[in-house]
Amino acid sequence: MEKQYSIVVLSDLKDATENILKSSISLAKTFGADIKFFHVKKATDVVDRDSQLSTFRTINEQHSLTKKSIDNLIQSVSKAYNIAIDYSYAFGNVKNEIKDYLTKQNPDIVVLGKRKTKFGIPVDSTINFVLKNFKGRVMVVGDQNTLEPGELYSLGFLNNGDIGNMDAFVSQLAEHSQKPFKAFRFTDQTNQGENDESILDNNAVEFIFERNSNTISNLSKYVLKSKINLLYLDRRNNNRAGLKSSDIKDIMGKVDVSVLLSEEPNL
């Protein structure tokens, strides 16, 4: 019997929220998972310190507006894709509320998007916080080649080690993916070209990148060129495929498609 997975979607209710939800639904339909949606509004965005009466009025208004906004979004998406989504929200310190919520829910997968400034620069403090405090699987939804519920993934592997020896989670993911898979690996060897391509087996093509200052940028270009829409990064196999822990932050910032990170190796 296949495991029943649970997904938590963390959202700041910005423009990309619908794409984040659609990507989460894509995973949910693959794994028969349930989805919970959670939003935190900073207390400083709600509280008016000039007047206690005004503060109470503002909090009540914000509760009403926030609930209505989330309810309209969830109902629309749930109806479109025929899936139930539970939701909740909180006012307070964003990181504390997220940590408490994840501790309480203990999901299998956390999904969130990249926040950007008006200049298009990624703001990844929330991503870094989640990766530090949640040791399970994390999907960061990208801007390009978004996941569509009901459609096969175009799946790429980074640092997976042995594609022929997948665990149950990855095997189930692979069953809902196009073939052949794309695999990406980094190397410190200088006798190779900037990137090489080789055939692993009938189901996978491997791209090998020489490590230099442009490695992650080159990876990002190849991922888009290969029309990958989900890049699976195995954090349990560090050093098998030339990946360093410090690379993860760069990958989150530069790779524009959705990245799904495995659980950490101590689980």
Side-chain angles (χ1 to χ4, degrees), residues 215-261:
T215 300
I216 306 299
S217 295
N218 289 336
L219 170 68
S220 179
K221 292 175 184 177
Y222 262 71
V223 164
L224 288 175
K225 180 180 178 181
S226 303
K227 301 188 185 309
I228 301 297
N229 63 7
L230 183 61
L231 181 65
Y232 180 79
L233 194 161
D234 195 336
R235 294 187 285 177
R236 300 164 301 177
N237 289 328
N238 283 353
N239 300 323
R240 280 194 193 177
L243 187 74
K244 300 176 182 178
S245 297
S246 58
D247 291 328
I248 293 177
K249 183 176 180 180
D250 275 349
I251 290 168
M252 294 296 98
K254 293 180 180 178
V255 175
D256 289 329
V257 305
S258 296
V259 179
L260 176 59
L261 293 95

Side-chain angles (χ1 to χ4, degrees), residues 104-119:
K104 179 181 178 181
Q105 297 296 332
N106 191 29
D108 296 291
I109 309 168
V110 171
V111 180
L112 67 166
K114 296 180 184 180
R115 295 185 301 131
K116 293 185 177 181
T117 68
K118 62 182 179 181
F119 302 108

Side-chain angles (χ1 to χ4, degrees), residues 139-233:
M139 183 168 77
V140 179
V141 176
D143 298 326
Q144 303 293 322
N145 300 341
T146 55
L147 306 184
E148 292 292 336
E151 294 187 5
L152 294 176
Y153 304 113
S154 178
L155 183 61
F157 291 97
L158 176 62
N159 202 37
N160 197 56
D162 184 5
I163 290 179
N165 188 25
M166 300 175 181
D167 63 24
F169 178 85
V170 180
S171 293
Q172 198 167 339
L173 195 67
E175 288 176 5
H176 294 80
S177 302
Q178 301 172 13
K179 309 294 187 301
F181 308 124
K182 307 296 191 304
F184 302 94
R185 178 165 60 91
F186 301 155
T187 179
D188 290 322
Q189 298 177 9
T190 57
N191 59 346
Q192 292 184 327
E194 183 174 305
N195 48 69
D196 289 324
E197 179 181 340
S198 60
I199 306 297
L200 291 180
D201 56 38
N202 291 333
N203 287 325
V205 179
E206 182 178 53
F207 297 88
I208 304 171
F209 296 87
E210 180 185 344
R211 179 175 288 284
N212 55 47
S213 59
N214 296 317
T215 300
I216 306 299
S217 295
N218 289 336
L219 170 68
S220 179
K221 292 175 184 177
Y222 262 71
V223 164
L224 288 175
K225 180 180 178 181
S226 303
K227 301 188 185 309
I228 301 297
N229 63 7
L230 183 61
L231 181 65
Y232 180 79
L233 194 161

Side-chain angles (χ1 to χ4, degrees), residues 90-139:
F91 296 162
N93 179 282
V94 174
K95 291 180 179 179
N96 289 346
E97 294 291 344
I98 287 175
K99 185 175 182 179
D100 289 346
Y101 185 80
L102 293 181
T103 299
K104 179 181 178 181
Q105 297 296 332
N106 191 29
D108 296 291
I109 309 168
V110 171
V111 180
L112 67 166
K114 296 180 184 180
R115 295 185 301 131
K116 293 185 177 181
T117 68
K118 62 182 179 181
F119 302 108
I121 301 171
V123 180
D124 55 10
S125 60
T126 304
I127 295 173
N128 290 339
F129 178 80
V130 170
L131 294 179
K132 181 179 179 180
N133 290 277
F134 178 73
K135 305 306 179 183
R137 301 175 183 90
V138 177
M139 183 168 77

